[in-house]
Amino acid sequence: MTTLIGMMILAIGLPAWAGITYVGLVRARRGDELPQPRLPRARRSPAKKAAWVAVLAYLAGGALHLYGLSYMPFLQPEDACWFNAGHMAVPDSSSALPVSLVCAGEEIVPWWVNPGLLVLAVTAVGATVTSPVLAVLASRRRR
């Protein structure tokens, strides 16, 4: 019981005491004033937004491609069909792009992987091309 009470003091009391002490030190250093609100950030330009969309589309496309490749046979091809389709045989065909694994005439990779890759690839390339174009147009407008 004593150990439980000691653990409660350490788990709850010590962090609370440290937080109260830290707040007191900060307020003493600032002259007991309330913290000032942060100024609003400058708005992102359309070129930066397009660049962020491109980065996110590239990352999501890479993650989706890795997910699709998780169905592929690597070391022992017959295990890919066994674990994914329950059929112990060598796959009929497999490819990394478009992502495909065919076991006993049946496609194993989910149907939405390849259309998702296509949408993300078009978005990434489109945003990559759009970002510098918007930056150049914005710099011309400023002149």
Side-chain angles (χ1 to χ4, degrees):
M1 185 67 174
T2 306
T3 307
L4 180 63
I5 293 171
M7 290 300 291
M8 294 300 288
I9 290 171
L10 287 175
I12 296 171
L14 195 58
W17 172 78
I20 291 168
T21 303
Y22 176 75
V23 169
L25 290 173
V26 168
R27 290 189 80 182
R29 191 176 324 147
R30 289 187 179 166
D32 203 27
E33 63 187 31
L34 293 175
Q36 299 298 320
R38 291 185 178 182
L39 296 175
R41 291 189 322 184
R43 294 185 58 153
R44 284 197 182 124
S45 68
K48 280 189 179 181
K49 289 179 185 177
W52 276 108
V53 167
V55 167
L56 291 175
Y58 281 120
L59 289 174
L64 183 60
H65 196 246
L66 284 176
Y67 173 75
L69 290 179
S70 70
Y71 286 92
M72 293 294 116
F74 288 106
L75 295 178
Q76 296 174 328
E78 63 274 359
D79 286 346
C81 288
W82 176 252
F83 288 127
N84 295 316
H87 180 65
M88 187 63 147
V90 175
D92 298 340
S93 68
S94 66
S95 69
L97 200 60
V99 182
S100 173
L101 176 66
V102 179
C103 293
E106 181 183 348
E107 178 65 45
I108 304 302
V109 178
W111 65 270
W112 49 268
V113 171
N114 289 317
L117 284 173
L118 179 66
V119 167
L120 288 170
V122 168
T123 303
V125 170
T128 301
V129 170
T130 302
S131 180
V133 169
L134 289 174
V136 168
L137 290 176
S139 69
R140 286 186 182 171
R141 248 185 269 134
R142 277 185 250 152
R143 286 186 205 169

